[in-house]
Amino acid sequence: MFDVTALGEVLIDFTECGHNPDTGMALFERNPGGAPANVAAAVSRLAGRAAFIGKVGEDMHGAYLKKTLDEIGVDTSGVSVDAGAFTTLAFVSLEPSGERVFSFARKPGADTCLTAEDIPTALLTGSRILHFGSLSLTNEPAHSATLYAVAMAKKSGAIISYDPNDRPLLWDSRERARKVMRSVLPQVDVIKISDEETELLTGAADPEEASRRLIEQGIGCVVVTLGAKGALVRTAAQAEQSEIVPGFASKVADTTGAGDSFWGGFLYQIAQSGKRPGELTLAEAAQFARFGNAVASLCVEKRGAIPAMPDMDTVRARLEGRA
């Protein structure tokens, strides 16, 4: 039984890393990433059992991504290779604050070519949690494949986790993005959204009100990430209350993967608890968020996403004030 199986994009983040001293040209380093893959990597680095479902191109980047996941212990039996599409690339420039600006090479990217036939049923029925994001919903056939996977996993009793992870450049319109991202909410048991996505997903910009509306739609546990301020949590078991869990101080090098590392830590804790999201008390959800905050605070201190995921010993040291 896997703790978490993540489905969606695995890609290369070409992250800006200074300039050539002779020419002044920007330099980019190749980092393995992709939000769902990052979540699986975070779980695996914490010694959880994680699997990933997705598609890469038959190229050097696809081979590198699969090797990277294999090396950190993520099961890649659900990773297929497409000879007709190139592995998706994301070019990431960093602002002085560490925030990111994206440009994508994905027309189409291999991740959008995932089909239902590519998905091993055993990964859907043999996982405590199935996690997915919205990028696999932007294009067919990956859109239909994602809906198939969610339905199959839910039927088998898996917890369904969703992170919208809004990337406006990958949608043909904001209206379609809003409609499609909201369409899957009835299937979701636990959700993470950022404070920048609340209005898109719920119509309410305020994190408190947005979390309340998502609980009212039947989601068992809602987490709204608040950047350096931490995260707001609300559960169906105590729907009238919420709690803001403060983050940890960090020396930020790169925020790529911050939300994914947080969510990997949070989902790892749910898997270990043996509880459904709707059964969690507010205190339990807050404890899980504190753990996720510690994971994220360590991730942002290194460059890249998957390479920056911390192990359990390092996370415990941060929780105990030793790191």
Side-chain angles (χ1 to χ4, degrees):
M1 177 67 72
F2 289 98
D3 294 311
V4 177
T5 291
L7 179 149
E9 71 277 7
V10 61
L11 50 79
I12 298 294
D13 287 319
F14 278 107
T15 310
E16 192 171 11
C17 60
H19 296 80
N20 184 307
D22 297 323
T23 65
M25 294 289 187
L27 300 176
F28 290 80
E29 62 183 3
R30 182 177 71 166
N31 287 307
N38 294 342
V39 170
V43 172
S44 186
R45 286 283 286 157
L46 295 168
R49 292 200 67 208
F52 179 73
I53 298 171
K55 181 169 279 191
V56 297
E58 191 175 7
D59 50 56
M60 68 172 71
H61 299 308
Y64 170 64
L65 289 168
K66 186 176 184 302
K67 179 184 177 185
T68 298
L69 292 175
D70 286 335
E71 288 178 345
I72 63 171
V74 174
D75 182 285
T76 59
S77 61
V79 176
S80 53
V81 178
D82 192 324
F86 201 68
T87 300
T88 296
L89 309 178
F91 293 86
V92 189
S93 62
L94 299 177
E95 300 293 341
S97 64
E99 289 301 318
R100 303 153 295 161
V101 178
F102 289 91
S103 178
F104 293 92
R106 189 186 188 233
K107 297 181 179 180
D111 63 296
T112 68
C113 300
L114 184 74
T115 69
E117 290 72 23
D118 294 321
I119 300 174
T121 302
L123 291 181
L124 302 178
T125 60
S127 298
R128 293 182 176 87
I129 300 170
L130 175 69
H131 171 70
F132 74 106
S134 73
L135 269 63
S136 61
L137 301 174
T138 58
N139 300 84
E140 290 291 358
H143 178 277
S144 294
T146 302
L147 298 184
Y148 162 80
V150 169
M152 179 71 71
K154 196 169 185 70
K155 183 178 180 181
S156 72
I159 294 167
I160 305 302
S161 162
Y162 179 44
D163 175 5
N165 190 35
D166 182 33
R167 294 288 179 265
L169 290 173
L170 298 179
W171 295 91
D172 51 22
S173 72
R174 294 310 284 158
E175 181 55 36
R176 181 169 178 270
R178 181 181 298 107
K179 179 179 179 181
V180 174
M181 285 189 199
R182 293 184 183 187
S183 69
V184 296
L185 293 177
Q187 307 302 316
V188 174
D189 299 303
V190 58
I191 187 172
K192 178 190 79 69
I193 60 174
S194 74
D195 52 0
E196 297 175 345
E197 297 165 340
T198 51
E199 188 167 10
L200 180 66
L201 266 291
T202 71
D206 176 59
E208 282 274 354
E209 178 59 24
S211 66
R212 185 178 294 109
R213 292 186 185 187
L214 290 167
I215 290 290
E216 289 172 353
Q217 292 185 54
I219 297 175
C221 179
V222 176
V223 182
V224 184
T225 54
L226 307 172
K229 296 179 181 178
L232 180 147
V233 295
R234 187 185 297 271
T235 69
Q238 294 174 267
E240 296 307 310
Q241 303 175 55
S242 68
E243 182 173 338
I244 293 179
V245 184
F248 291 79
S250 297
K251 295 180 180 179
V252 177
D254 180 3
T255 60
T256 304
D260 305 325
S261 62
F262 167 87
W263 200 232
F266 195 95
L267 294 182
Y268 171 81
Q269 292 285 7
I270 288 182
Q272 297 306 303
S273 76
K275 288 189 171 185
R276 306 284 301 182
E279 299 170 344
L280 296 174
T281 65
L282 185 59
E284 288 172 325
Q287 178 185 347
F288 296 172
R290 183 171 184 269
F291 182 88
N293 283 339
V295 177
S297 72
L298 291 161
C299 175
V300 300
E301 292 183 342
K302 296 182 179 180
R303 294 179 64 83
I306 291 176
M309 298 300 172
D311 61 23
M312 182 62 83
D313 288 342
T314 311
V315 175
R316 284 177 178 149
R318 176 60 51 94
L319 287 167
E320 295 167 5
R322 295 185 286 110

